[in-house]
Each structure stands twice: as structure tokens, then as C-alpha cells.
Amino acid sequence: MISGDKIKFGEEFCERTCRPYLLNKTIMLTPQLFEEDNGLFTYTSECPGIFFEEDDEPESIYHLFGNDLKSIYDCEVIPATDEDIAKIQKQQTEDENARNKEYEGMAEFYSKLNN
């Protein structure tokens, strides 16, 4: 599964995971950032996932369906279209531009403090 794919949640999945609010909903996977710890240090990695407002945090496909994706049960995976992938890429570019602008503002602020 990749960002841009969509998941239509089935009855068995919703029942087994106690998420009745997802039944028959179709949600697009989007790039989500997660902290990982290898025992020596923590780093951030990107993985397709879903941000659930109910939980107030993102869940990767591995959180949702298990590391081997066996817990997908009766959910339907709808492959991303070229349009879906373009939307994801556009959003990533906009997010990166906003972060860069914020970093530039912070650098300018600290530069003024030090002068």
C-alpha cells in the first residue's frame, strides 16, 4: 500500500477493532510521520497512514492492520490513481514550502537577537 491508496472499511474489521464509525467509509492513505526507536536513537520515518480526529493522532497501515497486514480482514484496498498521487505530491510540496518559510523566519529572528 502507498499514500494515495484508499481503504474502504468492512464490517469484520470495524467489529474486531471496535471502530463502528468507520463502517463502509472510504479514506485515503496519506503520508504520516512516526517516531521510531532502534535502541540507540530515535528518528522520524514516513509511512502511509490515516489521521483519525477521534484519536487525535495518525495511525500507520501497520498500526491499523498489523506488521504483516493480516488484520486487514474484509477491508477493500482501492489503488491510487495518478490524480490521487498528484494531490499527495502537491500537498507534500506545500507542506515543505511552509516549513522552509517558518525555518527562514526563525533564522531571521535569532539572527536579530544575536546582533
Side-chain angles (χ1 to χ4, degrees):
M1 285 186 259
I2 62 168
S3 294
D5 287 348
K6 293 174 221 59
I7 305 293
K8 182 175 182 183
F9 292 93
E11 186 174 352
E12 182 180 5
F13 176 85
C14 293
E15 188 176 303
R16 286 181 181 234
T17 61
C18 299
R19 292 182 171 165
Y21 55 89
L22 291 176
L23 184 59
N24 295 319
K25 282 192 177 181
T26 302
I27 300 176
M28 181 186 289
L29 296 174
T30 56
Q32 301 293 332
L33 299 176
F34 299 94
E35 284 187 359
E36 294 192 49
D37 185 346
N38 68 3
L40 296 174
F41 58 89
T42 302
Y43 58 96
T44 303
S45 62
E46 183 179 290
C47 179
I50 297 172
F51 183 84
F52 291 114
E53 290 182 19
E54 295 87 353
D55 300 334
D56 198 31
E57 65 180 46
E59 289 199 48
S60 75
I61 57 173
Y62 304 109
H63 291 129
L64 287 169
F65 306 121
N67 287 339
D68 52 11
L69 303 180
K70 286 184 179 176
S71 300
I72 198 163
Y73 304 116
D74 59 345
C75 295
E76 180 184 351
V77 178
I78 303 164
T81 64
D82 290 340
E83 185 178 296
D84 294 331
I85 293 170
K87 284 180 189 177
I88 296 287
Q89 290 172 339
K90 180 181 180 213
Q91 185 63 51
Q92 286 179 308
T93 300
E94 289 173 0
D95 291 347
E96 186 175 335
N97 290 341
R99 273 192 306 277
N100 289 340
K101 187 174 182 178
E102 186 176 337
Y103 295 152
E104 289 169 7
M106 288 169 35
E108 183 179 325
F109 173 78
Y110 289 115
S111 175
K112 288 179 181 178
L113 278 177
N114 293 327
N115 289 330

